[in-house]
Amino acid sequence: SGATDIGSIRYGHPNNDLKFVTNSADQWTLNSSGNWLPAATDHGIYLGVNSATASNLLNDYEFGTFTPAFGGSPSGSYTYQFGNYTKINKMVFFTVFLQGNFSGGSGNSLITGLPFTPSDGSDNVYYEPVTIGFTYGLGETLYQGFINQNSTELFLLKEPSSGARVHSTISSLVSSDMRISVSGFYNTAA
């Protein structure tokens, strides 16, 4: 039998793009804006290697915003309430800033609404630490925070006591004109 043309680079007049074809299927498109677009979401780029090594595959990148909130149902309103994130494969980097006037509430101090669910611990990461960057007007002094596995909640902690962690309570933390900035990173479940 004769040779078949199963690979090519085709120019598309309707969209002014280039299609890169291997194994008789479109794999990548170089669009008229100069951007590379994969034909499927599982396609990526292997970085730093010259063979297909799964640990070097970059196949997921995104950035965006999310809306964090205080858990524990405190009464009041936000002056500022925003979060930003960048996700690279399974790693999420985030920042949160909350400002407002609050009182009451019940339970542990926490921030809800992280953009992705953290890992379940199967990758040997059970609690993801976070950094408390800036606080103003809080009713308690915060020491650190952590993100629990399988939860989009960020717990806020006070100074440890006798080596044990001490949770802040939302009713003691909130106040009028309070501000908190938190940043961190964590592994996602998928």
Side-chain angles (χ1 to χ4, degrees):
S1 70
T4 56
D5 184 14
I6 61 171
S8 65
I9 300 173
R10 291 191 324 263
Y11 178 74
H13 285 285
N15 296 320
N16 293 319
D17 59 15
L18 289 174
K19 301 278 186 191
F20 289 77
V21 178
T22 61
N23 211 21
S24 299
D26 289 0
Q27 301 295 339
W28 288 85
T29 299
L30 178 60
N31 70 14
S32 61
S33 298
N35 296 310
W36 288 95
L37 302 170
T41 58
D42 65 343
H43 289 34
I45 298 172
Y46 292 97
L47 299 174
V49 294
N50 58 11
S51 63
T53 307
S55 62
N56 293 73
L57 178 62
L58 176 60
N59 63 354
D60 186 8
Y61 175 87
E62 71 176 89
F63 62 92
T65 62
F66 63 99
T67 306
F70 287 112
S73 303
S75 300
S77 62
Y78 293 96
T79 308
Y80 296 101
Q81 179 185 19
F82 61 85
N84 296 301
Y85 73 90
T86 300
K87 181 176 184 279
I88 303 171
N89 285 0
K90 289 178 58 174
M91 186 64 67
V92 178
F93 301 87
F94 71 93
T95 59
V96 167
F97 182 74
L98 297 172
Q99 178 180 350
N101 299 297
F102 295 96
S103 64
S106 63
N108 292 328
S109 295
L110 50 95
I111 296 172
T112 63
L114 293 175
F116 299 93
T117 302
S119 87
D120 61 3
S122 61
D123 56 1
N124 296 319
V125 178
Y126 296 100
Y127 300 101
E128 304 277 3
V130 299
T131 301
I132 310 293
F134 169 78
T135 62
Y136 174 83
L138 301 181
E140 293 183 317
T141 301
L142 296 176
Y143 177 70
Q144 64 184 23
F146 72 92
I147 302 166
N148 205 4
Q149 61 192 19
N150 279 332
S151 167
T152 57
E153 299 173 336
L154 187 161
F155 288 84
L156 301 172
L157 303 175
K158 299 189 301 185
E159 184 80 33
S161 175
S162 300
R165 70 179 183 216
V166 178
H167 287 267
S168 166
T169 58
I170 195 68
S171 61
S172 297
L173 180 72
V174 295
S175 67
S176 61
D177 194 27
M178 61 176 288
R179 302 168 195 173
I180 184 169
S181 173
V182 178
S183 63
F185 55 91
Y186 62 95
N187 285 311
T188 61

